[in-house]
Amino acid sequence: SFRKIWREPWLAYRYGVAMTDQPATLHPLLRGLKPAWLAAIGECSVQSNHRSGDYLFRAGDAATRLYLLQSGHVGIELGIEKQASSQVAVLGPGDLIACPCSGRMHTWRFSVPAFDQVSCQSILVKRLRKLCDADRELACELGERIICSLADQLDAARRQFAEVSQLALNSQRLALETFGQQRNAVEVGV
């Protein structure tokens, strides 16, 4: 169906649908790519759905895919050995979860749980790497887009960290002021 073609843009290329009118539902990483590139990337991709509470992957799993989030929200959890993991970020539609694109075996250093129903396109990194090796222009275009996406995520994490740090400092300042007031009250009352 036409709707399926837009959810899976490589099908649009196969069926001759003009990709110049790419819909807003196409993942931002893929918007504006040549139809032939979309078709080739589609051959490396799998559409997947995850229920709330499911993990897309866990820290230590083989990092063989990159994920283009289409709907739903996921968390980024960092775990410290023998301690509970802590959530450091939330990603949603239009975000990218990327692993090293070298094609060699790597493992994830964080876990990604789904917070609600999540739909994503997962791209096999080894196959994508072969495409990029064969087409330098595609490699440069995707590399630039992936770097920009990851830079945006790092900037968002930096802002979130600054907000949390400010909240912690304000709480600490308030606690010290309260302690100082109580101590003064005790000294005056003595």
Side-chain angles (χ1 to χ4, degrees):
S1 76
F2 187 73
R3 196 173 276 247
K4 180 175 172 103
I5 287 173
W6 284 128
R7 276 199 327 263
E8 300 174 10
W10 53 92
L11 291 176
Y13 176 74
R14 286 187 184 155
Y15 294 108
V17 176
M19 291 303 287
T20 54
D21 300 323
Q22 293 177 359
T25 57
L26 190 59
H27 193 278
L29 187 79
L30 302 176
R31 277 189 209 134
L33 290 181
K34 295 177 183 179
W37 289 349
L38 290 174
I41 292 169
E43 294 296 323
C44 304
S45 304
V46 175
Q47 186 70 28
S48 60
N49 295 299
H50 304 271
R51 295 179 307 213
S52 177
D54 288 351
Y55 278 78
L56 277 67
F57 54 84
R58 292 183 185 268
D61 289 353
T64 59
R65 300 174 184 265
L66 62 88
Y67 296 84
L68 308 178
L69 297 176
Q70 296 165 322
S71 67
H73 294 86
V74 299
I76 302 295
E77 291 182 349
L78 294 178
I80 301 171
E81 202 171 305
K82 297 183 182 179
Q83 291 183 4
S85 49
S86 60
Q87 179 185 317
V88 295
V90 175
L91 302 177
D95 283 329
L96 163 73
I97 306 171
C99 63
C101 293
S102 65
R104 293 183 294 274
M105 183 58 92
H106 292 282
T107 58
W108 291 105
R109 296 180 183 184
F110 52 90
S111 300
V112 177
F115 291 150
D116 49 19
Q117 183 69 29
V118 171
S119 177
C120 61
Q121 183 177 355
S122 59
I123 301 173
L124 294 169
V125 174
K126 281 187 180 182
R127 292 182 65 191
L128 183 61
R129 177 60 189 248
K130 286 180 184 176
L131 285 176
C132 290
D133 286 345
D135 188 333
R136 187 77 175 145
E137 186 182 0
L138 171 62
C140 290
E141 185 66 29
L142 280 179
E144 182 178 331
R145 290 171 182 228
I146 289 170
I147 288 169
C148 287
S149 177
L150 294 176
D152 289 346
Q153 288 177 16
L154 283 172
D155 190 48
R158 180 194 57 78
R159 284 192 309 271
Q160 182 181 4
F161 179 74
E163 289 173 14
V164 169
S165 295
Q166 190 61 47
L167 286 172
L169 288 173
N170 288 343
S171 295
Q172 185 179 28
R173 182 180 45 77
L174 182 61
L176 288 172
E177 287 174 1
T178 303
F179 176 74
Q181 290 169 355
Q182 289 174 349
R183 191 170 128 202
N184 288 341
V186 169
E187 289 176 357
V188 170
V190 171

